[in-house]
């Protein structure tokens, strides 16, 4: 008896593609996908090879000129709305207790929210004036209008002042509490700032107590604690917790001017391999709540400037 | 014309997503130290486009949206990284949805529009597409940064961010994907139905 060696007939599995050829009409041809991938790769290579004079920069600038003002507009509209939840929370208990005063309460709540917001802005501006006096430089006040997401793995923000206000790349950006970063590119009305917590940022710093020099480098956007690190130049110096760190300044004040507070030493690690000490810096600035900042400009710059003597020209 | 309407609707959605993503959402971001992780709205728009229309259109949309994300402020990384990531998202999501899920609209209202290039997918499919797209997009972007030496973050640091982004993206997809679908559908069906569609409906 002959054995049937043929494999059992499998039921023909009809895939959806064979059932309906029309559905595939939208599939891109392989050449298109390949062309787009190559376009991306070419763009990345061109941008990387170009370095500081990348051919992409003019395009960025043009797009920035268009998108920047829109971002500023949206930001202006959104800012008071964002402050509202805080006002609602503080008055939440009050509203339950005093039900018959609800109408009045709502009115007060609105006023309170606005007053708190104004007070905060005033305090920030005062802080900036004090900072301008301490540093001896003039500051251009600016607001943060856009913040890059953490998914981009680079810490950048956009300011609402640009080359029209006298800003240029490689200028120092400070807040009332200390150093924020430096400007990497400007358009007419906006400027992009690289924060010092970005992992490509390196700032010359010195310990305020004993003038010891070192380098403060960012540690990326991640981890709540270890966001800034300092390596000391002199390996015999032991940094102590709580010592203040200030910038020691670059040649010609660019990109960083001297004497801006960066933060305080939060932890000290001994690096056995390098036989040196590594200090973790607690930054003075809260980078998640940046709003009003100042850009260090040469004294006598036209436009809205806080001068070193505290006077404000607009 | 329907195709033009679809294009304009996608453009509007991408621009609105970009603006929301950098101006409004940072105030509500998930703080992982440094700057917050925000839902990647542009990516979600690309995912919605991939689900609603065909793969070719989604791939092109991903490319242009990514390019915009690369050069609009406050971007400071190498241009082309988001373009590559979102292009891959558009292509992969488009292929997976249209090849494997059969007709996402089932026998409902969607199948009628299948020929025309827009459909109405069930919500779980859209959410799964958003989750997958988010992971693929963030990973491709992060890996391209590692390869090019553009971002010094370690792989161990990238993963938690990608996962948190995925979570936020799925939540945001509940709003963004239906909104984008609605926008694209409305724009695509403003004109008169084509002859082929009329025949299909009658049959």
């Amino acid at each position: 008896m002959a054995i049937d060696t043929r494999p059992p007939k499998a039921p023909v599995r009809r895939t959806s593609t064979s059932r309906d050829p029309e559905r595939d009409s939208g599939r891109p041809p392989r050449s298109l996908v390949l062309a787009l991938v190559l376009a991306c790769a070419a763009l990345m290579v061109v941008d990387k090879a170009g370095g500081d004079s990348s051919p992409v920069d003019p395009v960025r600038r043009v797009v920035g000129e268009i998108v920047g003002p829109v971002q500023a507009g949206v930001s202006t509209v959104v800012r008071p709305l964002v402050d509202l939840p805080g006002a609602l929370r503080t008055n939440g208990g009050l509203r339950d207790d005093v039900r018959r005063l609800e109408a009045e309460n709502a009115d007060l709540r609105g006023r309170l929210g606005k007053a708190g917001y104004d007070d905060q802005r005033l305090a920030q501006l005062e802080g900036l004036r004090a900072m301008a006096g301490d540093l001896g430089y003039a500051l251009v006040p600016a607001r943060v209008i856009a913040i890059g997401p953490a998914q981009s793995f680079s810490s950048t923000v956009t300011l609402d002042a640009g080359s029209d206000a006298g800003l240029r790349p490689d200028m120092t950006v400070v807040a009332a509490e200390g150093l924020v970063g430096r400007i990497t590119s400007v358009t007419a009305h906006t400027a992009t700032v690289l924060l010092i917590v970005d992992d490509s940022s390196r700032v010359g710093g010195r310990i305020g107590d004993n003038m010891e020099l070192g380098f403060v480098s960012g540690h990326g956007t991640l981890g709540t604690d270890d966001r800034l690190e300092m390596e000391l130049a002199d390996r015999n110096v032991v940094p102590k917790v709580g010592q203040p760190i200030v910038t020691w300044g670059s040649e010609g004040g660019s990109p960083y001017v001297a004497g801006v507070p960066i933060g305080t030493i939060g932890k000290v690690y001994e690096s056995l391999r390098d036989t040196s000490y590594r200090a973790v810096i607690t930054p003075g600035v809260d980078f998640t709540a940046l709003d009003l900042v100042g850009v260090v400009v040469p004294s006598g710059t036209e436009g809205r400037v806080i001068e070193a003597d505290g006077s404000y020209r607009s | 014309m329907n195709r033009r309407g679809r294009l304009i609707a996608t453009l509007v959605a991408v621009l609105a997503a970009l603006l929301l993503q950098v101006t409004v959402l940072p105030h509500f971001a998930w703080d992982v130290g440094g700057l917050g992780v925000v839902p990647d709205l542009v990516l979600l728009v690309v995912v919605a486009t991939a689900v609603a229309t065909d793969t070719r259109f989604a791939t092109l949309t991903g490319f242009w949206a990514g390019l915009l994300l690369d050069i609009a402020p406050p971007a400071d990384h190498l241009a082309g990284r988001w373009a590559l990531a979102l292009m891959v998202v558009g292509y992969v999501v488009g292929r997976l949805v249209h090849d494997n899920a059969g007709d996402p609209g089932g026998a409902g209202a969607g199948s009628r529009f299948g020929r025309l290039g827009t459909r109405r997918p069930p919500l779980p499919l859209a959410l799964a597409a958003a989750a997958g797209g988010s992971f693929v997009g963030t990973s491709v972007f992060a890996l391209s940064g590692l390869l090019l030496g553009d971002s010094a973050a370690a792989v161990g640091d990238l993963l938690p961010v990608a996962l948190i982004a995925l979570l936020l993206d799925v939540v945001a997809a509940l709003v963004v994907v239906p909104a984008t679908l609605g926008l694209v559908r409305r724009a695509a069906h403003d004109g008169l139905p084509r002859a082929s569609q009329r025949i299909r409906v009658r049959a």
Side-chain angles (χ1 to χ4, degrees):
Chain A
M1 191 181 126
I3 297 166
D4 189 4
T5 52
R6 283 177 304 170
K9 220 177 212 175
V12 178
R13 189 180 165 80
R14 292 166 68 100
T15 59
S16 60
T17 47
S18 63
R19 196 167 56 230
D20 184 4
E22 274 185 355
R23 188 170 296 130
D24 279 342
S25 62
R27 182 184 294 183
R30 195 160 293 172
S31 56
L32 175 71
V33 176
L34 199 63
L36 288 179
V37 170
L38 287 180
C40 294
L43 201 59
M44 285 187 255
V45 170
V46 164
D47 198 12
K48 186 158 177 72
D52 283 341
S53 59
S54 159
V56 183
D57 280 352
V59 185
R60 275 185 207 277
R61 200 184 157 90
V62 169
V63 173
E65 301 285 6
I66 302 165
V67 179
V70 185
Q71 284 177 349
V74 174
S75 192
T76 312
V77 173
V78 166
R79 206 181 294 269
L81 293 179
V82 172
D83 272 9
L84 256 165
L88 289 171
R89 255 201 305 280
T90 50
N91 283 329
L94 206 64
R95 191 177 47 198
D96 293 336
D97 293 342
V98 197
R99 188 161 289 209
R100 65 188 174 85
L101 291 179
E102 217 163 33
E104 191 183 345
N105 200 1
D107 181 30
L108 286 176
R109 190 162 56 225
R111 279 195 225 167
L112 186 66
K114 203 166 172 320
Y117 177 63
D118 287 346
D119 284 352
Q120 221 175 330
R121 286 187 57 190
L122 193 64
Q124 283 177 338
L125 199 59
E126 281 299 320
L128 270 190
R129 281 177 53 153
M131 178 64 95
D134 290 347
L135 291 176
Y137 294 99
L139 294 180
V140 169
R143 319 202 71 160
V144 174
I145 54 171
I147 299 170
Q151 287 103 309
S152 291
F153 300 108
S154 72
S155 311
T156 50
V157 297
T158 309
L159 304 183
D160 67 348
S163 54
D164 280 4
L167 307 192
R168 288 193 317 275
D170 282 344
M171 280 180 160
T172 314
V173 181
V174 298
E177 299 85 12
L179 185 64
V180 172
R182 66 182 166 89
I183 295 180
T184 57
S185 64
V186 293
T187 68
H189 303 291
T190 63
T192 302
V193 177
L194 185 73
L195 305 182
I196 54 170
V197 286
D198 187 86
D199 48 24
S200 64
S201 162
R202 268 169 92 76
V203 188
R206 71 160 87 236
I207 298 177
D209 296 350
N210 51 16
M211 308 300 260
E212 284 296 336
L213 300 181
F215 282 99
V216 178
S217 47
H219 204 253
T221 57
L222 309 170
T224 5
D225 300 328
D226 302 350
R227 310 226 331 254
L228 277 178
E229 282 180 8
M230 181 170 187
E231 293 248 22
L232 287 168
D234 186 344
R235 294 183 173 177
N236 297 322
V237 176
V238 184
K240 293 188 199 65
V241 171
Q243 283 179 318
I245 306 292
V246 298
T247 57
W248 51 276
S250 321
E251 191 181 343
S254 168
Y256 294 108
V257 296
V260 183
I262 299 175
T264 53
I265 296 180
K267 288 178 208 159
V268 177
Y269 296 106
E270 189 174 359
S271 169
L272 287 175
R273 195 177 51 187
D274 301 339
T275 64
S276 67
Y277 291 95
R278 195 166 63 85
V280 173
I281 314 287
T282 310
V285 177
D286 181 0
F287 289 99
T288 54
L290 280 176
D291 188 13
L292 191 66
V293 297
V295 183
V296 177
V297 293
S299 187
T301 302
E302 295 294 313
R304 299 189 312 158
V305 174
I306 305 172
E307 286 290 348
D309 56 10
S311 64
Y312 180 74
R313 275 207 325 266
S314 61
Chain B
M1 188 61 209
N2 293 323
R3 281 191 181 278
R4 190 182 298 161
R6 190 174 73 167
L7 186 65
I8 292 171
T10 316
L11 268 177
V12 169
V14 166
L15 280 177
L18 176 77
L19 284 176
L20 281 176
Q21 188 175 325
V22 295
T23 53
V24 181
L25 289 181
H27 296 287
F28 309 100
W30 184 317
D31 196 358
V32 284
L35 302 179
V37 180
V38 299
D40 206 332
L41 298 189
V42 178
L43 188 144
L44 291 177
V45 169
V46 173
V47 167
T49 317
V51 172
T53 67
D54 56 65
T55 313
R56 183 169 173 276
F57 186 70
T59 312
L60 286 169
T61 304
F63 180 72
W64 288 114
L67 208 56
L68 192 65
L69 207 55
D70 275 328
I71 54 179
D76 200 38
H77 51 262
L78 289 178
R81 285 176 61 196
W82 269 125
L84 180 65
L86 292 191
M87 195 206 97
V88 171
V89 167
Y91 183 72
V92 169
V93 172
R95 282 296 295 270
L96 285 180
V97 166
H98 297 306
D99 286 0
N100 295 337
D103 189 5
S111 59
R112 182 184 146 193
F113 302 124
R115 182 73 186 84
L116 200 60
T118 64
R119 340 167 163 220
R120 181 155 199 87
L123 196 59
L125 177 75
L127 288 186
S134 161
F135 190 75
V136 169
T138 315
S139 305
V140 169
F141 181 80
L143 292 180
S144 69
L146 281 181
L147 278 179
L148 292 165
D150 196 22
S151 155
V155 178
D157 288 343
L158 304 179
L159 202 59
V161 174
L163 291 180
I164 293 174
L166 191 150
L167 196 66
L168 289 180
D169 281 349
V170 171
V171 174
L174 287 172
V175 181
V176 177
V177 172
T180 313
L181 289 181
L183 189 67
V184 173
R185 265 160 49 87
R186 175 173 296 191
H189 298 299
D190 270 353
L192 284 169
R194 284 196 220 159
S196 60
Q197 186 195 359
R198 259 180 271 153
I199 291 164
R200 275 195 143 218
V201 172
R202 218 170 283 158

